[in-house]
Short mmCIF file of all heavy atoms in Angstrom, two decimals:
data_model
loop_
_atom_site.label_atom_id
_atom_site.label_comp_id
_atom_site.label_asym_id
_atom_site.label_seq_id
_atom_site.Cartn_x
_atom_site.Cartn_y
_atom_site.Cartn_z
N LYS D 1 -4.59 -28.86 1.91
CA LYS D 1 -6.05 -28.43 2.03
C LYS D 1 -6.33 -27.42 0.97
O LYS D 1 -7.45 -27.53 0.33
CB LYS D 1 -6.23 -27.78 3.48
CG LYS D 1 -6.19 -28.78 4.57
CD LYS D 1 -6.39 -28.12 5.91
CE LYS D 1 -6.34 -29.08 7.05
NZ LYS D 1 -6.40 -28.35 8.38
N LYS D 2 -5.50 -26.47 0.65
CA LYS D 2 -5.76 -25.52 -0.32
C LYS D 2 -5.83 -26.14 -1.73
O LYS D 2 -6.73 -25.87 -2.52
CB LYS D 2 -4.66 -24.42 -0.37
CG LYS D 2 -4.85 -23.41 -1.40
CD LYS D 2 -3.91 -22.30 -1.43
CE LYS D 2 -4.15 -21.33 -2.57
NZ LYS D 2 -3.18 -20.28 -2.60
N ARG D 3 -4.95 -27.12 -1.95
CA ARG D 3 -4.97 -27.83 -3.22
C ARG D 3 -6.27 -28.55 -3.44
O ARG D 3 -6.84 -28.62 -4.62
CB ARG D 3 -3.83 -28.90 -3.37
CG ARG D 3 -2.39 -28.37 -3.40
CD ARG D 3 -2.20 -27.30 -4.48
NE ARG D 3 -2.76 -27.65 -5.77
CZ ARG D 3 -3.05 -26.73 -6.75
NH1 ARG D 3 -2.80 -25.44 -6.47
NH2 ARG D 3 -3.65 -27.04 -7.77
N ILE D 4 -6.80 -29.13 -2.37
CA ILE D 4 -8.16 -29.88 -2.58
C ILE D 4 -9.26 -28.79 -2.91
O ILE D 4 -10.11 -29.06 -3.72
CB ILE D 4 -8.41 -30.51 -1.19
CG1 ILE D 4 -7.51 -31.74 -0.99
CG2 ILE D 4 -9.94 -31.04 -1.17
CD1 ILE D 4 -7.61 -32.34 0.43
N LEU D 5 -9.24 -27.70 -2.21
CA LEU D 5 -10.22 -26.65 -2.54
C LEU D 5 -10.09 -26.14 -3.90
O LEU D 5 -11.06 -25.97 -4.63
CB LEU D 5 -10.03 -25.47 -1.50
CG LEU D 5 -10.46 -25.75 -0.09
CD1 LEU D 5 -10.13 -24.60 0.87
CD2 LEU D 5 -11.87 -26.19 0.12
N VAL D 6 -8.87 -25.88 -4.32
CA VAL D 6 -8.69 -25.29 -5.73
C VAL D 6 -9.13 -26.33 -6.73
O VAL D 6 -9.69 -26.00 -7.77
CB VAL D 6 -7.25 -24.91 -5.79
CG1 VAL D 6 -6.88 -24.53 -7.32
CG2 VAL D 6 -6.91 -23.68 -5.04
N SER D 7 -8.70 -27.65 -6.52
CA SER D 7 -9.05 -28.62 -7.52
C SER D 7 -10.57 -28.92 -7.60
O SER D 7 -11.11 -29.09 -8.63
CB SER D 7 -8.34 -29.96 -7.24
OG SER D 7 -8.75 -30.50 -6.06
N GLN D 8 -11.25 -28.73 -6.49
CA GLN D 8 -12.70 -28.90 -6.45
C GLN D 8 -13.29 -27.78 -7.22
O GLN D 8 -14.29 -27.88 -8.02
CB GLN D 8 -13.32 -28.89 -5.14
CG GLN D 8 -13.13 -30.19 -4.30
CD GLN D 8 -13.62 -30.02 -2.91
OE1 GLN D 8 -13.70 -29.03 -2.35
NE2 GLN D 8 -13.93 -31.20 -2.26
N LYS D 9 -12.79 -26.61 -7.00
CA LYS D 9 -13.35 -25.35 -7.72
C LYS D 9 -13.11 -25.51 -9.20
O LYS D 9 -14.02 -25.17 -10.01
CB LYS D 9 -12.63 -24.02 -7.23
CG LYS D 9 -13.13 -22.82 -7.77
CD LYS D 9 -12.35 -21.60 -7.33
CE LYS D 9 -12.42 -21.24 -5.91
NZ LYS D 9 -11.80 -20.00 -5.52
N ARG D 10 -11.96 -25.95 -9.62
CA ARG D 10 -11.67 -26.05 -11.02
C ARG D 10 -12.51 -27.26 -11.63
O ARG D 10 -13.05 -27.07 -12.85
CB ARG D 10 -10.17 -26.45 -11.29
CG ARG D 10 -9.26 -25.31 -11.08
CD ARG D 10 -7.88 -25.68 -11.50
NE ARG D 10 -7.09 -24.50 -11.49
CZ ARG D 10 -5.77 -24.50 -11.88
NH1 ARG D 10 -5.18 -25.58 -12.30
NH2 ARG D 10 -5.17 -23.32 -11.91
N ALA D 11 -12.70 -28.38 -10.96
CA ALA D 11 -13.49 -29.42 -11.37
C ALA D 11 -14.96 -28.95 -11.59
O ALA D 11 -15.62 -29.27 -12.62
CB ALA D 11 -13.49 -30.59 -10.50
N ASN D 12 -15.48 -28.14 -10.78
CA ASN D 12 -16.84 -27.61 -10.76
C ASN D 12 -16.94 -26.75 -11.97
O ASN D 12 -17.94 -26.74 -12.82
CB ASN D 12 -17.29 -26.97 -9.51
CG ASN D 12 -17.56 -27.86 -8.40
OD1 ASN D 12 -17.68 -29.10 -8.63
ND2 ASN D 12 -17.47 -27.43 -7.28
N ARG D 13 -15.96 -25.88 -12.26
CA ARG D 13 -15.98 -24.98 -13.44
C ARG D 13 -15.88 -25.82 -14.61
O ARG D 13 -16.70 -25.49 -15.66
CB ARG D 13 -14.78 -24.03 -13.37
CG ARG D 13 -14.86 -22.86 -14.33
CD ARG D 13 -13.51 -22.23 -14.55
NE ARG D 13 -12.77 -23.04 -15.46
CZ ARG D 13 -11.43 -22.88 -15.60
NH1 ARG D 13 -10.73 -22.01 -15.00
NH2 ARG D 13 -10.86 -23.75 -16.45
N ASN D 14 -15.03 -26.77 -14.75
CA ASN D 14 -14.90 -27.57 -15.98
C ASN D 14 -16.16 -28.27 -16.22
O ASN D 14 -16.62 -28.51 -17.42
CB ASN D 14 -13.74 -28.55 -15.81
CG ASN D 14 -12.45 -27.86 -15.82
OD1 ASN D 14 -12.27 -26.69 -16.14
ND2 ASN D 14 -11.41 -28.68 -15.39
N LYS D 15 -16.91 -28.90 -15.23
CA LYS D 15 -18.08 -29.61 -15.40
C LYS D 15 -19.17 -28.70 -15.88
O LYS D 15 -19.98 -29.04 -16.82
CB LYS D 15 -18.52 -30.22 -13.97
CG LYS D 15 -19.58 -31.29 -14.08
CD LYS D 15 -19.92 -31.80 -12.70
CE LYS D 15 -18.82 -32.53 -12.03
NZ LYS D 15 -19.07 -33.08 -10.78
N SER D 16 -19.25 -27.51 -15.43
CA SER D 16 -20.15 -26.54 -15.80
C SER D 16 -20.01 -26.15 -17.42
O SER D 16 -21.02 -26.08 -18.03
CB SER D 16 -20.11 -25.23 -15.01
OG SER D 16 -20.94 -24.20 -15.53
N ILE D 17 -18.79 -25.99 -17.73
CA ILE D 17 -18.45 -25.59 -19.11
C ILE D 17 -18.82 -26.77 -20.03
O ILE D 17 -19.35 -26.67 -21.18
CB ILE D 17 -17.09 -25.10 -19.24
CG1 ILE D 17 -16.96 -23.81 -18.64
CG2 ILE D 17 -16.57 -24.93 -20.72
CD1 ILE D 17 -15.55 -23.24 -18.45
N ARG D 18 -18.41 -28.04 -19.62
CA ARG D 18 -18.74 -29.30 -20.45
C ARG D 18 -20.25 -29.34 -20.60
O ARG D 18 -20.70 -29.71 -21.74
CB ARG D 18 -18.14 -30.46 -19.67
CG ARG D 18 -16.73 -30.76 -19.93
CD ARG D 18 -16.39 -32.10 -19.29
NE ARG D 18 -14.96 -32.21 -19.07
CZ ARG D 18 -14.11 -32.67 -19.99
NH1 ARG D 18 -14.52 -32.95 -21.06
NH2 ARG D 18 -12.88 -32.70 -19.67
N SER D 19 -20.99 -29.12 -19.52
CA SER D 19 -22.48 -29.24 -19.55
C SER D 19 -23.00 -28.22 -20.60
O SER D 19 -23.86 -28.54 -21.40
CB SER D 19 -23.03 -28.96 -18.19
OG SER D 19 -24.39 -29.06 -18.26
N GLY D 20 -22.48 -27.01 -20.57
CA GLY D 20 -22.87 -26.00 -21.49
C GLY D 20 -22.61 -26.44 -22.92
O GLY D 20 -23.46 -26.21 -23.80
N VAL D 21 -21.53 -27.07 -23.23
CA VAL D 21 -21.14 -27.48 -24.60
C VAL D 21 -22.17 -28.58 -25.00
O VAL D 21 -22.71 -28.54 -26.15
CB VAL D 21 -19.73 -27.95 -24.61
CG1 VAL D 21 -19.55 -28.76 -25.91
CG2 VAL D 21 -18.77 -26.89 -24.48
N LYS D 22 -22.43 -29.47 -24.03
CA LYS D 22 -23.37 -30.57 -24.40
C LYS D 22 -24.80 -29.99 -24.74
O LYS D 22 -25.47 -30.41 -25.69
CB LYS D 22 -23.47 -31.59 -23.25
CG LYS D 22 -22.28 -32.44 -23.14
CD LYS D 22 -22.49 -33.41 -21.93
CE LYS D 22 -21.22 -34.17 -21.51
NZ LYS D 22 -21.27 -34.92 -20.48
N THR D 23 -25.31 -28.99 -23.93
CA THR D 23 -26.51 -28.34 -24.15
C THR D 23 -26.55 -27.69 -25.49
O THR D 23 -27.58 -27.81 -26.25
CB THR D 23 -26.77 -27.38 -23.05
OG1 THR D 23 -26.71 -28.00 -21.73
CG2 THR D 23 -28.10 -26.66 -23.21
N ALA D 24 -25.45 -26.98 -25.84
CA ALA D 24 -25.43 -26.28 -27.13
C ALA D 24 -25.46 -27.28 -28.28
O ALA D 24 -26.21 -26.99 -29.28
CB ALA D 24 -24.13 -25.48 -27.20
N ILE D 25 -24.86 -28.41 -28.08
CA ILE D 25 -24.90 -29.44 -29.17
C ILE D 25 -26.22 -30.04 -29.36
O ILE D 25 -26.84 -30.23 -30.41
CB ILE D 25 -23.78 -30.50 -28.94
CG1 ILE D 25 -22.41 -30.00 -29.05
CG2 ILE D 25 -24.08 -31.71 -29.78
CD1 ILE D 25 -21.34 -30.91 -28.69
N LYS D 26 -26.90 -30.26 -28.24
CA LYS D 26 -28.29 -30.77 -28.28
C LYS D 26 -29.28 -29.80 -28.88
O LYS D 26 -30.14 -30.28 -29.62
CB LYS D 26 -28.73 -31.12 -26.77
CG LYS D 26 -28.13 -32.38 -26.32
CD LYS D 26 -28.56 -32.66 -24.79
CE LYS D 26 -27.76 -33.87 -24.18
NZ LYS D 26 -28.05 -33.93 -22.84
N LYS D 27 -29.02 -28.48 -28.67
CA LYS D 27 -29.94 -27.53 -29.30
C LYS D 27 -29.82 -27.59 -30.80
O LYS D 27 -30.77 -27.47 -31.53
CB LYS D 27 -29.60 -26.18 -28.77
CG LYS D 27 -30.17 -25.87 -27.40
CD LYS D 27 -29.81 -24.39 -26.98
CE LYS D 27 -30.23 -24.19 -25.49
NZ LYS D 27 -29.90 -22.90 -25.08
#
């Protein structure tokens, strides 16, 4: 159960950072 929570948290963080990179490139 903990692994599921941790992996979701990491996936959300990674998604956020990837989105920020894409936004910076578009600018």
Side-chain angles (χ1 to χ4, degrees):
K1 290 179 183 177
K2 181 178 178 181
R3 293 307 319 157
I4 290 169
L5 292 175
V6 170
S7 64
Q8 283 177 341
K9 187 187 290 186
R10 285 186 173 185
N12 288 338
R13 190 197 79 194
N14 291 349
K15 195 179 295 184
S16 171
I17 293 173
R18 278 185 201 273
S19 176
V21 169
K22 288 179 187 175
T23 302
I25 290 171
K26 285 178 187 172
K27 285 181 182 176

